[in-house]
């Protein structure tokens, strides 16, 4: 019922996925929003065809997010090179997230300036059709951002810990 509801709620999804599957077997390629192509080989093996169709359905969204995150990573690197007073470090990319180590005195600037600039403003996503032609949109899409400040990865910081290290409570 959840899947049925999803396809009712997002009525264009079923047709989009069908088009992805067909392109994998007819044109044998499709494109993501940043122009990266995914090509498919000719096969008569039904299991290969099924796997290609599954990959074709996943590619446009996964590839667009991956390329947008890559663009953001480049933006963070460039910003850090331009603003040598900052000492944040990128530690790890996890799918659509990036883990940073940020000195306490830089957390506010990082959250309020660096993140929105590098992740959002400098990372427009101009949608493209599966054949790599641009969609006629007035403005691009942008990532949303969600932050979590922690002393150690996976461990939420308490207000007492924040106060003890001099971190503004409104930043956690």
């Amino acid at each position: 019922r959840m899947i049925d509801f999803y396809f009712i709620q997002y009525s264009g999804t079923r047709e989009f996925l069908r088009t992805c599957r067909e392109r994998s077997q007819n044109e044998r390629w499709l494109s993501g929003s940043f122009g990266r192509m995914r090509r498919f080989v000719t096969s008569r093996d039904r299991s290969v065809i099924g796997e290609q169709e599954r990959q074709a359905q996943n590619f446009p969204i996964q590839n667009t997010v991956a390329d947008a995150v890559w663009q953001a990573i480049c933006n963070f690197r460039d910003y850090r090179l331009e603003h040598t007073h900052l000492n944040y470090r990128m530690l790890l990319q996890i799918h659509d997230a990036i883990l940073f180590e940020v000195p306490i005195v830089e957390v506010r600037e990082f959250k309020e300036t660096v993140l929105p600039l590098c992740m959002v403003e400098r990372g427009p996503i101009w949608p493209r059709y599966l054949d790599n032609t641009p969609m006629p949109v007035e403005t691009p899409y942008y990532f949303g951002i969600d932050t979590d400040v922690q002393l150690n990865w996976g461990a939420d910081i308490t207000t007492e810990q924040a106060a003890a290290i001099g971190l503004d409570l409104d930043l956690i």
Side-chain angles (χ1 to χ4, degrees), residues 7-58:
F7 284 121
I8 290 168
Q9 187 72 26
Y10 302 101
S11 58
T13 303
R14 194 177 304 274
E15 177 63 21
F16 174 75
L17 295 174
R18 184 190 62 73
T19 303
C20 290
R21 289 190 306 271
E22 287 179 0
R23 282 192 69 85
S24 75
Q25 300 309 302
N26 297 333
E27 287 82 4
R28 303 218 172 276
W29 65 272
L30 47 90
S31 175
S33 289
F34 288 82
R36 187 186 309 227
M37 308 289 205
R38 172 64 169 93
R39 292 173 173 78
F40 300 92
V41 299
T42 302
S43 178
R44 292 184 184 181
D45 183 331
R46 188 63 212 151
S47 65
V48 171
I49 292 169
E51 179 62 19
Q52 289 180 348
E53 290 175 343
R54 186 193 65 74
Q55 289 179 16
Q57 291 177 130
N58 290 335

Side-chain angles (χ1 to χ4, degrees), residues 81-100:
L81 292 173
E82 295 165 12
H83 299 84
T84 56
H85 70 283
L86 294 172
N87 294 298
Y88 65 83
R89 296 185 322 155
M90 287 182 280
L91 301 179
L92 181 64
Q93 175 193 351
I94 311 158
H95 302 290
D96 62 346
I98 306 169
L99 178 66
F100 290 91

Side-chain angles (χ1 to χ4, degrees), residues 87-122:
N87 294 298
Y88 65 83
R89 296 185 322 155
M90 287 182 280
L91 301 179
L92 181 64
Q93 175 193 351
I94 311 158
H95 302 290
D96 62 346
I98 306 169
L99 178 66
F100 290 91
E101 182 178 70
V102 181
I104 293 167
V105 297
E106 296 176 13
V107 171
R108 179 173 301 283
E109 181 177 1
F110 189 81
K111 281 187 74 169
E112 294 176 357
T113 303
V114 180
L115 271 174
L117 182 67
C118 295
M119 197 81 190
V120 181
E121 295 172 38
R122 291 186 180 176

